[in-house]
Amino acid sequence: MKVIEGVLSDRGSKYAVAGGPAASKAEAEALVKTLKRKKKFAKATHNTWAVLLEDGPLKADDGESGAGMVIVRMLEREGLSNHVIVVTRWFGGTHLGGDRFRHVQSCVRTYLDML
């Protein structure tokens, strides 16, 4: 699993991105569980993730409504299957509105550029 911390911050919210190979729902969930074993990530407000599997996309918003679909669309455009990407957000006290989707995109782009 690759973890990139401190990708960006905005109005107190901080973002990180992580990911790794996952060929099934169980593998994707196991990767997220492994990430959350790190206390810092377990305490995060949101750990949004998505993966493209043979039987279709799988996503979890973890309270960040719509963010999983943003990751799915980026994975589809990249043609990257069987690889889960997790965008983590620590809420900073100010609602970001639509900017949060741009931040999710920036995190995923940072991760994809590191592959």
Side-chain angles (χ1 to χ4, degrees):
M1 172 177 22
K2 179 184 293 195
V3 179
I4 307 166
E5 295 188 43
V7 176
L8 62 93
S9 62
D10 181 11
R11 291 168 267 179
S13 287
K14 297 182 183 344
Y15 286 83
V17 64
S24 68
K25 178 180 180 180
E27 287 181 14
E29 290 173 342
L31 190 139
V32 174
K33 187 175 179 180
T34 298
L35 179 68
K36 290 169 94 175
R37 280 194 193 116
K38 296 180 182 184
K39 190 174 184 180
K40 179 178 183 177
F41 287 87
K43 290 184 146 196
T45 313
H46 308 288
N47 284 290
T48 303
W49 60 272
V51 60
L52 298 180
L53 301 173
E54 285 185 26
D55 54 348
L58 184 63
K59 63 181 176 60
D61 289 336
D62 192 27
E64 188 80 288
S65 183
M69 198 62 205
V70 172
I71 301 170
V72 166
R73 280 192 224 107
M74 291 187 74
L75 289 169
E76 288 172 341
R77 279 196 298 269
E78 197 72 19
L80 183 60
S81 297
N82 299 326
H83 199 97
V84 65
I85 295 181
V86 184
V87 175
T88 302
R89 176 183 178 195
W90 293 269
F91 182 63
T94 302
H95 292 285
L96 303 178
D99 289 341
R100 65 195 169 99
F101 297 116
R102 282 189 288 285
H103 296 333
V104 169
Q105 288 175 330
S106 294
C107 289
V108 174
R109 177 55 40 214
T110 297
Y111 183 86
L112 293 172
D113 288 347
M114 299 290 283
L115 289 181

